[in-house]
Amino acid sequence: QVQLVESGGGLVQPGGSLRLSCAASGFTFNSYHMSWYRQAPGKERELVASITNTGGSTNYAVSMQGRFTISRDNAKNTAYLQMNSLRPEDTAVYYCKAVRSFSTYWGQGTQVTVSL
């Protein structure tokens, strides 16, 4: 069956870094555009970054530009989100999403907490 499994979240101090992974299975990964979203308590889910199926194009939310990097390895069916210079306001559950035409899959999320 289709699975998107995020990992790599945790507790990090402000200014620190984390690398999230999203392992995909059960569908043709290299046909799907991938995105990372996040949702903080009491807030709506928001787009963090996206990458096309080939990895040839990326897009970032303004507040993440220059700090976050999205990438993918189609040979490993995995998408990544490198997060640097983390701030307390980056605290959220981070989700990956796979999209192709009218087909959308979500992962279960991984918690990222930025705090002293």
Side-chain angles (χ1 to χ4, degrees), residues 7 18 26-27 35 37 45 52 54 62 65 80 82 92 95 110 113:
S7 62
L18 283 175
F27 63 98
S35 299
Y37 283 73
R45 193 171 295 190
T52 54
T54 63
V62 172
Q65 285 181 347
Y80 303 96
Q82 177 67 43
Y95 300 89
T110 185
T113 302

Side-chain angles (χ1 to χ4, degrees), residues 47-99:
L47 175 67
V48 172
S50 58
I51 187 168
T52 54
N53 62 314
T54 63
S57 180
T58 58
N59 183 54
Y60 297 90
V62 172
S63 62
M64 286 69 154
Q65 285 181 347
R67 298 191 300 126
F68 292 7
T69 303
I70 189 171
S71 62
R72 64 189 297 159
D73 185 338
N74 284 347
K76 295 182 177 180
N77 288 353
T78 302
Y80 303 96
L81 183 68
Q82 177 67 43
M83 304 186 295
N84 299 327
S85 302
L86 283 163
R87 306 165 180 169
E89 55 264 38
D90 293 318
T91 295
V93 178
Y94 284 70
Y95 300 89
C96 63
K97 184 178 84 169
V99 176

Side-chain angles (χ1 to χ4, degrees), residues 4 22 33-37 95-99 104-107:
L4 288 174
C22 173
H33 306 313
M34 298 297 297
S35 299
W36 286 94
Y37 283 73
Y95 300 89
C96 63
K97 184 178 84 169
V99 176
T104 301
Y105 305 121
W106 287 93

